């Protein structure tokens, strides 16, 4: 789950397709229950590569899992990078704060600056390649000090569905029933859309503990003429409705944006933290507006710059949505960009 802006091309392309979804029965893996906090609501905070470990301390009282970004599958699909020294620092800080340290593995390609379908295809369609990557990930968990793995494969097509399910199943077999294995899913507002994105959700629900729905990047600077919410409540609700028709609600974790985007203005459009968004508005003399329908803040500055951002108030609205649907928790991207997370019940 690398920087949100990285996945925009794959997201827009993949959602254009609509294919049928398998009707396999979903079975929650027993270890999902063991991974759930005592208050019954799971809260993950993601730490992108290079973020200061101090953000983990800041939010430790409110989260139980730190998702550390992470490992990259190589361009041949035959292996993964080793956890960096920075990743290991964040792993150790999570443990010092009594939290689960979860290692993210993705098909992000630094060469193109986005997620790579060819990397996913090379890995997932080859049983030999899957075995190599599964073995490496199992070693990270069994001897490398990591507690959990999150699979974050994006920019896929429906052709990757069988291979992704096989990969998740093989990883479960290698790690056994006690290890926590989660998967990040790009959002779709239809059941067919999840299949088009490469996810056989009912089949994945069997070996996977938590399905983390990335309900953000509905809009962004890659749409220069269409500023809008990072992930509106109505869009998020539709994505949750579609996903929970395919898998048990108590396996779903709702991914929430803790950041925003800005369009137009004198500077290059891009991502902003919640703090930066408010500072831009204050410095311009403008006033931000809470859009209740979207569950986000927005502002148009005198220089023409448009901002939308999702902050602590947005998180509160999405926690309420998660409770309403009986979801098992929320996951905030990311600790370095978001407001400090208040304890969630």
């Amino acid at each position: 789950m690398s920087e949100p802006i990285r996945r925009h091309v794959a997201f827009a392309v993949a959602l254009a397709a609509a294919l049928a979804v398998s009707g396999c029965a979903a079975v929650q893996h027993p270890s999902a229950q063991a991974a759930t906090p005592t208050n019954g609501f799971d809260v993950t905070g993601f730490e992108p590569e290079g973020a200061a470990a101090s953000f983990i301390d800041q939010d430790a009282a409110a989260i139980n899992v730190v998702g550390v970004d992470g490992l990259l599958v190589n361009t041949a699909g035959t292996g993964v990078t080793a956890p960096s020294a920075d990743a290991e620092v964040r792993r150790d800080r999570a443990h010092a704060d009594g939290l689960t340290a979860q290692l993210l593995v993705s098909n992000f390609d630094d060469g193109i600056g986005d997620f790579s379908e060819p990397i996913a295809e090379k890995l997932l369609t080859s049983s030999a390649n899957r075995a190599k990557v599964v073995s490496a990930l199992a070693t990270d968990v069994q001897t490398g000090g990591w507690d959990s793995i999150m699979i974050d494969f994006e920019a896929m097509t429906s052709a990757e569905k069988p291979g992704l399910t096989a990969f998740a199943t093989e990883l479960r077999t290698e790690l056994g029933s006690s290890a926590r294995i989660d998967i990040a899913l790009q959002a779709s507002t239809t059941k067919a859309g999840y299949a088009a994105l490469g996810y056989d959700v009912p089949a994945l629900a069997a070996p996977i503990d938590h399905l983390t729905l990335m309900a953000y990047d509905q809009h962004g600077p890659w749409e220069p003429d269409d500023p809008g919410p990072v992930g509106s409540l109505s869009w998020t609700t539709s994505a949750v409705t579609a996903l929970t028709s395919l898998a048990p609600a108590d396996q779903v974790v709702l991914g929430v944006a803790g950041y925003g985007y800005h369009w137009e203005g004198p500077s290059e459009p891009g991502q902003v933290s919640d703090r930066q968004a408010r500072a831009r508005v204050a410095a311009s003399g403008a006033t931000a507006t809470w859009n209740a329908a979207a569950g986000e803040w927005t502002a148009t500055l005198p220089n023409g710059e448009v901002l939308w951002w999702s902050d602590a108030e947005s998180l509160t609205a999405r926690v309420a949505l998660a409770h309403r649907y009986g979801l098992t928790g929320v996951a905030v991207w990311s600790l370095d960009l978001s407001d400090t997370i208040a304890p969630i019940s």
Side-chain angles (χ1 to χ4, degrees), residues 178-245:
S178 61
R180 173 169 171 162
I181 305 174
D182 297 348
I183 189 167
L185 304 179
Q186 290 177 267
S188 171
T189 58
T190 67
K191 293 191 291 185
Y194 285 107
L197 290 164
Y199 311 122
D200 185 343
V201 174
L204 284 170
I208 293 293
D209 290 322
H210 300 93
L211 307 165
T212 300
L213 175 63
M214 298 184 287
Y216 35 74
D217 286 0
Q218 179 188 12
H219 299 282
W222 51 91
E223 299 172 335
D225 300 321
D226 189 27
V230 181
S232 69
L233 279 172
S234 60
W235 176 77
T236 298
T237 300
S238 295
V240 168
T241 300
L243 184 58
T244 54
S245 72

Side-chain angles (χ1 to χ4, degrees), residues 5 20 35 127 133 202 211 229 245 248-249 252 264-265 274 290 327:
I5 199 168
S127 59
V133 172
L211 307 165
S245 72
V252 175
E264 302 299 333
D274 292 334
W290 171 254
L327 308 187

Side-chain angles (χ1 to χ4, degrees), residues 36 40-42 210-211 213 215 236-237 239-241 243-244 247-256 318-330:
T36 303
F41 199 72
D42 198 83
H210 300 93
L211 307 165
L213 175 63
T236 298
T237 300
V240 168
T241 300
L243 184 58
T244 54
D250 62 3
Q251 269 187 277
V252 175
V253 172
L254 179 59
V256 181
R318 283 148 184 81
V319 169
L321 188 158
H323 284 314
R324 193 160 62 247
Y325 274 78
L327 308 187
T328 201
V330 294

Side-chain angles (χ1 to χ4, degrees), residues 134-145:
V134 163
S135 177
L137 296 177
T139 298
D140 287 322
V141 172
Q142 293 163 349
T143 66

Side-chain angles (χ1 to χ4, degrees), residues 77-78 123 125-133:
T78 57
L123 167 63
T125 60
S126 166
S127 59
N129 289 352
R130 292 198 308 267
K132 291 174 184 176
V133 172

Side-chain angles (χ1 to χ4, degrees), residues 7-218:
R7 63 174 60 89
H8 67 271
V9 175
F11 182 82
V13 173
L15 276 182
L19 301 175
V21 178
S22 165
C24 301
V27 180
Q28 186 173 13
H29 197 277
S31 66
Q33 295 299 324
T36 303
T38 54
N39 69 358
F41 199 72
D42 198 83
V43 182
T44 296
F46 291 109
E47 269 273 286
E49 190 170 6
S54 59
F55 289 111
I56 298 172
D57 300 332
Q58 172 182 288
D59 291 305
I63 64 179
N64 61 291
V65 179
V66 178
V68 178
D69 183 32
L71 301 185
L72 301 181
V73 179
N74 65 27
T75 56
T78 57
V80 290
T81 56
S84 67
D86 281 347
E88 291 176 344
V89 167
R90 296 196 293 280
R91 174 201 63 195
D92 294 344
R93 187 64 62 88
H95 287 162
D97 287 332
L99 308 174
T100 294
Q102 183 172 74
L103 186 61
L104 277 62
V105 57
S106 81
N107 62 322
F108 188 83
D109 184 352
D110 283 325
I112 63 172
D114 211 329
F115 289 85
S116 166
E117 192 276 335
I119 289 177
E121 188 271 338
K122 290 172 186 175
L123 167 63
L124 298 176
T125 60
S126 166
S127 59
N129 289 352
R130 292 198 308 267
K132 291 174 184 176
V133 172
V134 163
S135 177
L137 296 177
T139 298
D140 287 322
V141 172
Q142 293 163 349
T143 66
W146 295 91
D147 308 309
S148 173
I149 294 289
M150 175 174 280
I151 303 165
D152 181 22
F153 295 159
E154 305 179 35
M156 297 186 298
T157 70
S158 60
E160 274 78 60
K161 286 191 302 178
L164 181 60
T165 301
F167 179 81
T169 302
E170 290 155 6
L171 185 58
R172 170 59 66 197
T173 299
E174 187 75 15
L175 287 176
S177 62
S178 61
R180 173 169 171 162
I181 305 174
D182 297 348
I183 189 167
L185 304 179
Q186 290 177 267
S188 171
T189 58
T190 67
K191 293 191 291 185
Y194 285 107
L197 290 164
Y199 311 122
D200 185 343
V201 174
L204 284 170
I208 293 293
D209 290 322
H210 300 93
L211 307 165
T212 300
L213 175 63
M214 298 184 287
Y216 35 74
D217 286 0
Q218 179 188 12

